[in-house]
Structure formats: C-alpha cells, structure tokens
Amino acid sequence: MSPAQEDTPAVSATRTYDEVAVGDVLPDLTIPVTRTLIVATALASRDYQDVHHDPELARERGSKDIFMNILTSNGLVDRYVTGWAGPAAVVKAIRIRLGAPNHPGDTMVLTGTVTAKSDADRDVDIAVKGTNGLGAHVTGTVTVCLPGEATP
C-alpha cells in the first residue's frame, strides 16, 4: 500500500437491513468543539447570528461564550448515523432537540442505539444522543432506509 493510500480513509460498506438488529449499539463518535468549528459551520450554513461568532455579544445575551447552531448539530448527527450506516443508506428523517449548548473547548460524544425496524420499507430508527461537559446537547431519532442486499 502506498503512503497516499494509507492516509485516505476507507469508505465503509453500507449495512444491509438484515445485518441490523434492534438493540445494536453504534460506536461512539467524539467531536472536539473548537471555536473554528462553531464559527465555520455557522457561516457555512449562512447563520450569521452573533451568538455563533462574537464572544462579547454572546456574553451580553447571557451565554458564557459563542455556541454551536442547530444546523451544525443536525449535520453532525447525520454524519454520525450515515458514517455507521454507509453510503447507500438513505436518511428519511432527523428529529432532534437541543439541550445544553456546545461551547468552544468542550467535547461532544455522540452515541446511538437501534430502537426499531420496519420490514415493510427497510427503515431503521436510531436513538441518538450527543453529550458534552454540561449534559445532553442533542437528543433525538434518525430514520434511515437500508438496502436489502449488499451494495458493491
């Protein structure tokens, strides 16, 4: 294997519906919450609210610092589930609720568990939770449709 190949992350194979069982636990995903992550993702999602990029104004509004926006949290939940499910999985719904804010310098750990399967449409529900030093940042359910057979 060449050095360039060693540096390239492998794309995981897509899980099939039959490979997944209710109760399966997804591996944790640890995300360092940096100031750059908060600001860059707020700007990328066109969320120019000052609480996502200006520490002084965020404090004036009652926060201890800038904090992550919901669009970023939603995207990270999507990344977490699709990273586990694989590239052929289709996200059908993401239903989340925010709790404790993600501030710079903290770490969010995403966890998940398969909670339901639907044989009629190969949908799989995954309960997801993202916690940081203050508690639960994001909780919710993601529904994905998985293929019936392995994809090439």
Side-chain angles (χ1 to χ4, degrees):
M1 183 179 294
S2 74
Q5 289 172 319
E6 289 175 18
D7 293 338
T8 305
V11 175
S12 64
T14 300
R15 294 177 192 279
T16 64
Y17 180 78
D18 293 334
E19 292 174 326
V20 175
V22 172
D24 285 355
V25 176
L26 282 64
D28 293 357
L29 176 63
T30 301
I31 299 170
V33 181
T34 65
R35 189 168 300 278
T36 300
L37 175 68
I38 293 169
V39 173
T41 55
L43 294 175
S45 61
R46 303 179 83 178
D47 184 346
Y48 305 118
Q49 288 291 317
D50 49 35
V51 294
H52 304 307
H53 65 83
D54 188 320
E56 185 175 315
L57 289 174
R59 283 190 286 278
E60 284 178 18
R61 286 166 178 66
S63 182
K64 76 173 194 173
D65 202 342
I66 64 171
F67 54 90
M68 185 175 285
N69 71 355
I70 191 169
L71 297 171
T72 301
S73 300
N74 195 77
L76 292 171
V77 166
D78 182 284
R79 169 191 167 201
Y80 174 58
V81 172
T82 57
W84 168 81
V90 175
V91 176
K92 294 181 81 177
I94 298 176
R95 297 171 295 281
I96 61 170
R97 177 172 294 202
L98 292 184
N102 267 341
H103 292 292
D106 209 339
T107 299
M108 180 173 67
V109 178
L110 288 163
T111 58
T113 304
V114 175
T115 57
K117 289 178 65 176
S118 170
D119 293 340
D121 49 15
R122 296 188 323 272
D123 284 354
V124 175
D125 287 344
I126 300 141
V128 176
K129 185 174 188 179
T131 57
N132 61 31
L134 297 173
H137 167 69
V138 62
T139 55
T141 303
V142 178
T143 301
V144 293
C145 180
L146 297 178
E149 299 177 2
T151 56

